[in-house]
Amino acid sequence: MTVGKESPLMNVAYLYPWDVVGDPSAPGRLADLGVRTVALAASYHSTRAATPYHPAHRVLDVSYPALYLPVRPSSWSRLVPATPTWTPADAYLQARDALKAAGLQVHAWTVLTHNSHLGATHPDLVVRNAFGDPYPYALCPAHEDVIEYCERLVREILEVAEPDGLILEACGPMGFGHQSIHEKTSGADWTSTDSDLLSLCFCTSCAPRYPEPTRATVRAAIDRTSPSNATTPKPTSHTPADTSSFNGPATPEEALGQLADEVRAVRVALSTTLRQRLIAAARSTAADVPITLHANPDPWATGAFAPLPSGEPDADVLVANCWGDPATDATRLARLKELATPGQRVGAYVLALPPRPADPEVLADQLRTYAKAGASEFHLYHAGLASPPRLAALARALRLHT
């Protein structure tokens, strides 16, 4: 592991460029929060964001994914990131300079394979489930064009943005779960295992990598049929049913049976290849810049926190999502801590937004739980979206938890 510029212990507040550009009070507000580092979005997906502090607006419609640095045509190949219309083209640079002037370190928060703009314009490169349905927000890293785009993105951010650190999010395949459009899938009563199975990609690059019966096995598991009649619709009933009757396999391993080991290895390899190539690209571009990975020790994980079941010694920080039940989050953190190498830091990605209460005592107790599980730093989501009372509660919690 390359030792970066940062000292071992720190807290990181996540922020968008538009939270700072046009708001001269933002840097001081962040410094008062009690953090020394800001994770500033350099490349980010579409969203609709509240801006409770900004002097010019309260809601910002970010209608497509964009790069918040000037897009230099010579730096790109087939896939070219979009330029935002809701902020200046150099919004990251403007925000970075303002934050650094307040004495804050600035890390480049880089979203990789989560990109609905590029997925819509390049449908041959997106994740497709076992039924052939495309996920246009999800670029599949089984394609060389996708890996090359991510490499170019990392290099461009390091060269142009000159961040104090690099944070890699969605460093692997995205999956079924997604919230950038109105979600209307809960009535299907799919389980968490179904979601894992619907996250398996069968695009033209992924499908040949699996054992031959995999597609039929996945389709049969989702439809609760046998592989031999996987295309036959299930009988329907007009009478209300107990949803427990729809329960299928408890785990992906149970659903896939003897295929599970090989399918799991294929899935993990996609993230491993992308991650290792991006780390190599980053080290060759800016050797001393510390690298943080948003990671999940679950080998079936997809999404913003990519699977990392065997660890990654060449990263500086491993960060686990802590947005759910604190006990479950702590278990995930403890497993990530077990995978960490000596000297490698582990961070907890802490939610300061609803449904978390704006209560400093409750938040401090959760921080203590995460610290006990192995977190040496807290990544705080989100310093721009949180209301003034929530931000005050978070600042108080950071002081209370020790």
Side-chain angles (χ1 to χ4, degrees):
M1 180 180 69
T2 300
V3 178
K5 298 177 182 178
E6 297 288 346
S7 60
L9 300 177
M10 63 178 181
N11 296 318
V12 183
Y14 282 61
L15 206 65
Y16 301 130
W18 58 78
D19 292 322
V20 180
V21 176
D23 183 2
S25 68
R29 185 167 59 251
L30 269 293
D32 291 343
L33 180 60
V35 302
R36 59 170 298 192
T37 303
V38 170
L40 183 66
S43 171
Y44 201 72
H45 55 73
S46 56
T47 188
R48 188 171 75 127
T51 55
Y53 307 95
H54 204 282
H57 47 72
R58 284 294 169 269
V59 179
L60 201 65
D61 186 15
V62 178
S63 56
Y64 54 85
L67 176 66
Y68 294 95
L69 297 168
V71 176
R72 304 186 298 179
S74 61
S75 299
W76 306 96
S77 184
R78 180 185 176 191
L79 301 183
V80 182
T83 296
T85 58
W86 47 90
T87 64
D90 63 346
Y92 182 95
L93 301 178
Q94 291 188 35
R96 177 204 64 185
D97 291 347
L99 293 165
K100 290 181 75 68
L104 295 162
Q105 297 283 300
V106 180
H107 290 198
W109 179 14
T110 304
V111 175
L112 297 159
T113 62
H114 185 177
N115 195 307
S116 56
H117 168 72
L118 294 178
T121 54
H122 301 280
D124 58 311
L125 300 181
V126 304
V127 171
R128 291 177 180 269
N129 65 27
F131 298 85
D133 308 318
Y135 298 159
Y137 53 85
L139 298 175
C140 180
H143 298 277
E144 180 63 27
D145 283 342
V146 172
I147 297 178
E148 182 184 341
Y149 159 74
C150 293
E151 286 179 318
R152 289 173 181 267
L153 180 62
V154 163
R155 290 194 182 100
E156 189 72 353
I157 286 173
L158 290 173
E159 291 175 0
V160 178
E162 298 182 317
D164 298 302
L166 179 68
I167 299 175
L168 300 180
E169 180 173 304
C171 190
M174 297 292 292
F176 172 70
H178 185 62
Q179 300 298 326
S180 74
I181 57 176
H182 291 191
E183 193 73 25
K184 302 291 183 181
T185 57
S186 61
D189 291 311
W190 287 323
T191 66
S192 60
T193 294
D194 293 331
S195 182
D196 288 337
L197 296 175
L198 286 169
S199 296
L200 292 175
C201 182
F202 289 84
C203 70
T204 56
S205 184
C206 284
R209 305 181 187 210
Y210 300 129
E212 192 278 329
T214 303
R215 184 192 298 267
T217 301
V218 170
R219 292 172 65 135
I222 296 297
D223 287 347
R224 309 292 187 259
T225 61
S226 64
S228 61
N229 65 346
T231 59
T232 303
K234 293 180 294 183
T236 60
S237 171
H238 295 291
T239 59
D242 182 348
T243 57
S244 64
S245 65
F246 299 122
N247 288 343
T251 64
E253 285 84 359
E254 182 180 323
L256 294 169
Q258 62 183 2
L259 305 174
D261 289 347
E262 191 170 348
V263 173
R264 183 175 56 245
V266 169
R267 295 292 293 171
V268 171
L270 291 178
S271 295
T272 300
T273 297
L274 176 62
R275 181 178 70 249
Q276 291 179 347
R277 286 184 56 172
L278 295 186
I279 290 175
R283 297 300 187 204
S284 67
T285 305
D288 294 330
V289 172
I291 297 173
T292 296
L293 293 175
H294 284 188
N296 189 331
D298 180 1
W300 297 102
T302 57
F305 290 75
L308 195 75
S310 301
E312 177 48 74
D314 290 327
D316 296 273
V317 188
L318 306 178
V319 176
N321 183 278
C322 293
W323 287 19
D325 170 65
T328 302
D329 294 340
T331 300
R332 187 183 305 111
L333 267 172
R335 176 57 183 150
L336 211 57
K337 180 64 175 177
E338 291 173 359
L339 295 172
T341 58
Q344 192 173 48
R345 304 194 300 275
V346 172
Y349 196 56
V350 179
L351 182 66
L353 307 178
R356 296 293 199 245
D359 184 327
E361 297 290 346
V362 173
L363 293 174
D365 187 59
Q366 291 176 356
L367 296 182
R368 293 186 194 101
T369 297
Y370 300 144
K372 185 177 180 180
S376 59
E377 58 189 56
F378 300 121
H379 289 235
L380 311 171
Y381 186 93
H382 183 287
L385 296 172
S387 66
R390 286 188 174 277
L391 211 58
L394 184 58
R396 175 70 174 153
L398 290 173
R399 294 192 294 270
L400 287 174
H401 90 277
T402 53

